[in-house]
């Protein structure tokens, strides 16, 4: 088990880039290869769930967060992108071409989908260098079919708070639950 998977099993959430608020990949001794291995194995949910930052979620925390956050309706731009991904995977370059959206509209729609757990990275794409690559994206529903499923819990919010409180303040947890 790589260090990222160990960390996510214990703490549930990790940010990609260093910041003063929460631990990030570098803080736990994990690297890009750890991320891509877990994405390919569907044991990590890639999102922008915490304040619009790249946020890695364990399968358990993803399920709990999904159960606790109200589902927001899709704006038209997000719905267009989501429709392209239903039953398919694609990188952002292909999605941009197929959607026909202006760049700003595409970015807003795509970010909405990542922030609200509608889509995720499902496969490593083209390597740009040893520490970066593109991703292929798919719907969260498609990811769920291949991801390990946590046992259902009677009180998902309490379980989510129990896990996240190991590294997050109550205010940060509330922000995560309300965002965006």
């Amino acid at each position: 088990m790589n260090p990222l998977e160990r960390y996510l099993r214990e703490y549930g959430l990790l940010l990609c880039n260093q910041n003063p608020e929460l631990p990030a990949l570098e803080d736990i001794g994990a690297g890009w290869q750890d991320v891509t291995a877990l994405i390919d194995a569907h044991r990590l949910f890639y999102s922008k769930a915490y304040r619009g930052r790249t946020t890695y979620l364990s399968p358990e925390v993803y399920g709990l967060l999904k159960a606790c956050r109200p589902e927001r309706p899709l704006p038209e731009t997000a719905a267009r992108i989501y429709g392209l991904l239903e039953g398919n995977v694609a990188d952002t370059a292909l999605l941009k071409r197929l959607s026909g959206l202006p760049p700003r509209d595409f970015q807003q729609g795509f970010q909405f989908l990542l922030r609200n757990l509608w889509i995720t990275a499902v496969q490593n794409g083209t390597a740009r260098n040893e520490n970066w690559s593109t991703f292929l994206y798919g719907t969260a529903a498609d990811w769920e079919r291949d991801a390990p499923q946590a046992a259902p819990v009677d009180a998902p919010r309490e379980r989510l708070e129990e896990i996240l409180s190991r590294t997050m303040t109550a205010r940060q947890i509330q922000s995560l639950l309300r965002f965006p």
Side-chain angles (χ1 to χ4, degrees):
M1 183 181 316
N2 76 37
L4 176 55
E5 186 168 20
R6 269 193 303 280
Y7 183 89
L8 287 174
R9 282 189 179 190
E10 178 72 20
Y11 301 104
L13 178 149
L14 186 71
L15 299 181
C16 176
N17 299 311
Q18 285 190 313
N19 68 82
E21 292 183 38
L22 292 171
L25 273 177
E26 194 174 302
D27 298 327
I28 67 161
W32 190 247
Q33 292 75 19
D34 299 316
V35 171
T36 58
L38 292 183
I39 285 173
D40 287 345
H42 297 250
R43 294 194 317 260
L44 175 151
F45 191 90
Y46 173 95
S47 74
K48 299 279 185 162
Y50 184 74
R51 298 185 179 179
R53 296 178 175 157
T54 298
T55 309
Y56 306 126
L57 304 173
S58 70
E60 180 181 16
V61 165
Y62 160 76
L64 294 168
L65 190 57
K66 186 176 172 193
C68 295
R69 261 186 169 184
E71 188 173 280
R72 296 182 64 196
L74 290 174
E76 184 181 330
T77 56
R80 185 180 298 183
I81 298 164
Y82 187 83
L84 293 170
L85 287 172
E86 285 183 299
N88 298 301
V89 299
D91 65 15
T92 54
L94 180 59
L95 288 170
K96 285 175 185 177
R97 281 196 312 275
L98 293 176
S99 73
L101 293 168
R104 186 168 189 228
D105 291 347
F106 176 86
Q107 192 62 23
Q108 287 175 339
F110 194 75
Q111 292 301 310
F112 177 92
L113 294 169
L114 287 170
R115 287 178 176 158
N116 290 282
L117 311 179
W118 284 90
I119 65 171
T120 189
V122 294
Q123 187 178 335
N124 193 25
T126 305
R128 300 291 186 198
N129 61 52
E130 67 182 32
N131 293 314
W132 202 254
S133 61
T134 63
F135 290 130
L136 298 180
Y137 293 90
T139 67
D142 290 340
W143 178 86
E144 288 174 15
R145 281 194 280 280
D146 296 322
Q149 300 299 309
V153 296
D154 292 330
R157 185 178 181 114
E158 288 79 12
R159 176 68 179 142
L160 182 64
E161 289 174 352
E162 173 191 339
I163 295 168
L164 296 180
S165 66
R166 297 171 187 158
T167 57
M168 297 176 79
T169 66
R171 176 178 249 165
Q172 289 170 322
I173 294 170
Q174 291 310 311
S175 174
L176 178 66
L177 289 170
R178 280 192 313 263
F179 191 88

